[in-house]
Amino acid sequence: MKTITASTSRPYDIVIGQGILGQCGDVIQSLFPGGETVIVTDDNVEPLYLDILKRTLEEAGIGCVAFIIPNGEESKSMDIVEELLEFLAKRNVTRTDFITALGGGVVGDLAGFAAAAYLRGIPYIQIPTTLLAAVDSSVGGKTGVNLKSGKNLAGAFHQPSLVWCDYDTHKTMDPERYSDGIAEAIKCAVLKGEDFFSLLETENLYKHVEEVIENCIRLKLRIVSEDEFDTGRRQFLNLGHTIGHAIEARSGYEIPHGHAVACGMVAIADIAATNGLADFDCRDRIANLLKRYGLPTELPYPIEELTPYIENDKKRFGSTLRLIIPENIGHCRMVPIPVEEISSFFHI
Ligand code: GLY
């Protein structure tokens, strides 16, 4: 078991280990003496892990009830947030109580957002049960839901009080969903540098899961501690995401996030090289590593079908997009591009 401390505005611990789900009760009790919790989980995770979690919480004297949502992105909605907020209110949840998110990114983002909103903020704990949530969404305090106009358009920065990551829970994941997490881990390796990247190139990721998760979390925490509220440096975590988000949207969210980010990373590395900002060797190494783990590397749509989504990205800065360009492994650069120059930058 390994503990890493996040030095954000409200510091918290991230505990990583194998088979540790059933041991979190006492740690949580010490954070919230006398507190009770509402566990938010989905109908995939509930039959697998809810009982284990409830048992350790109850043994530690923490009262708990579960709020179970249907699995899938559809649940990351204002309607479900409202249901959850009403559930909290009807149960007389107070500020000494807390929410526990048991699941993947949808559960964590939704539960964190409800925690940020209820009584103007109550604490919450992240227990990520997917690789993607372990290496990315459970850490850093971004919470939120989708609107009809787009993904993650309503949300809040709200740091968890604890992240408890038992990577044994990833064993029950569908391999395709697991590879979404691998894509984010490869993104972290491109940002972090040669040591981590060559570990993934030469070793078997599945045999080094704890090291992989730790590398991703340490990278993310370093960036988030410099820019918790995402006004600058944190945007480096969006490597591959500008084109990735466009792929997801163009596919009507049929193409999953990690697969879209994989294609987006190769595409931006290729565009960077074509513009003389990087060499093609970097693009090739990223593509080869993604292929090694069965991830896609070719754009599923012509780039001209993606640029309208990129130009309309609601998270741009005024009329400028900030593209993250991989110049080399461990060296990325932020390049601001006016929206009207996107097509020529992408060589259309
Ligand atoms: N997933 C990117 C971030 O947390 O900033």
Side-chain angles (χ1 to χ4, degrees):
M1 202 185 308
K2 184 161 277 166
T3 301
I4 307 171
T5 301
S7 47
T8 38
S9 50
R10 192 151 47 86
Y12 56 95
D13 283 346
I14 295 137
V15 181
I16 310 164
Q18 184 168 21
I20 61 170
L21 177 62
Q23 299 164 32
C24 62
D26 288 340
V27 177
I28 295 175
Q29 201 280 336
S30 67
L31 290 173
F32 303 107
E36 301 199 337
T37 192
V38 171
I39 302 167
V40 180
T41 192
D42 71 28
D43 53 7
N44 270 346
V45 175
E46 183 227 319
L48 297 168
Y49 303 119
L50 182 62
D51 280 349
I52 302 173
L53 177 61
K54 274 182 149 176
R55 199 172 313 126
T56 179
L57 292 174
E58 283 163 3
E59 279 169 10
I62 302 168
C64 52
V65 286
F67 181 85
I68 295 156
I69 63 172
N71 71 81
E73 193 71 27
E74 297 271 286
S75 286
K76 219 173 114 172
S77 69
M78 281 302 220
D79 288 348
I80 304 262
V81 168
E82 190 180 354
E83 276 178 39
L84 175 53
L85 294 174
E86 290 290 355
F87 185 88
L88 298 171
K90 289 201 176 94
R91 302 237 158 215
N92 297 319
V93 170
T94 71
R95 284 196 173 125
T96 56
D97 302 319
F98 58 99
I99 292 178
T100 302
L102 174 71
V106 167
V107 165
D109 286 7
L110 172 96
F113 186 44
Y118 184 69
L119 302 178
R120 299 194 180 87
I122 64 167
Y124 75 111
I125 286 171
Q126 290 272 20
I127 304 185
T129 59
T130 66
L131 181 63
L132 187 66
V135 299
D136 187 30
S137 59
S138 65
V139 172
K142 274 191 184 174
T143 73
V145 293
N146 304 326
L147 300 183
K148 291 188 185 72
S149 301
K151 271 186 82 172
N152 294 326
L153 291 184
F157 291 98
H158 187 48
Q159 299 296 339
S161 298
L162 175 73
V163 179
W164 191 269
C165 174
D166 175 358
Y167 54 86
D168 242 5
T169 60
H170 306 166
K171 288 197 177 132
T172 45
M173 286 183 73
D174 167 275
E176 272 237 302
R177 295 290 68 74
Y178 194 81
S179 69
D180 281 322
I182 297 179
E184 286 286 352
I186 291 174
K187 175 205 79 178
C188 291
V190 177
L191 291 166
K192 195 160 192 281
E194 201 53 58
D195 284 0
F196 185 25
F197 196 87
S198 52
L199 172 86
L200 298 180
E201 278 181 323
T202 56
E203 299 285 335
N204 183 342
L205 175 145
Y206 303 96
K207 291 198 178 134
H208 295 268
V209 176
E210 185 161 321
E211 202 176 338
V212 169
I213 295 171
E214 184 182 349
N215 266 286
C216 295
I217 289 177
R218 286 198 188 278
L219 169 91
K220 184 157 186 182
L221 289 179
R222 196 174 72 218
I223 292 176
V224 170
S225 68
E226 290 169 26
D227 178 25
E228 186 170 338
F229 299 103
D230 203 16
T231 58
R233 181 122 182 83
R234 188 162 179 169
Q235 282 148 34
F236 279 81
L237 293 170
N238 283 342
L239 171 64
H241 282 58
T242 303
I243 296 174
H245 286 152
I247 294 169
E248 284 183 271
R250 168 68 184 78
S251 76
Y253 296 97
E254 290 293 313
I255 297 181
H257 181 69
H259 287 59
V261 167
C263 301
M265 259 191 295
V266 177
I268 197 67
D270 196 43
I271 290 165
T274 306
N275 281 288
L277 299 172
D279 59 43
F280 285 99
D281 184 50
C282 177
R283 187 268 322 262
D284 291 345
R285 282 187 75 192
I286 296 171
N288 288 338
L289 186 53
L290 291 164
K291 279 187 202 146
R292 184 169 190 238
Y293 292 102
L295 284 154
T297 56
E298 302 287 332
L299 284 182
Y301 308 103
I303 191 78
E304 56 269 24
E305 286 186 25
L306 299 175
T307 44
Y309 295 93
I310 293 168
E311 287 162 356
N312 289 317
D313 187 338
K314 292 187 177 55
K315 290 183 193 148
R316 66 179 187 235
F317 291 78
S319 56
T320 301
L321 275 161
R322 295 176 177 175
L323 295 178
I324 308 303
I325 303 282
E327 294 179 313
N328 222 321
I329 302 308
H331 298 277
C332 291
R333 170 145 64 111
M334 187 186 291
V335 179
I337 305 276
V339 169
E340 63 275 13
E341 288 174 23
I342 284 289
S343 290
S344 63
F345 188 74
F346 286 6
H347 289 268
I348 298 168

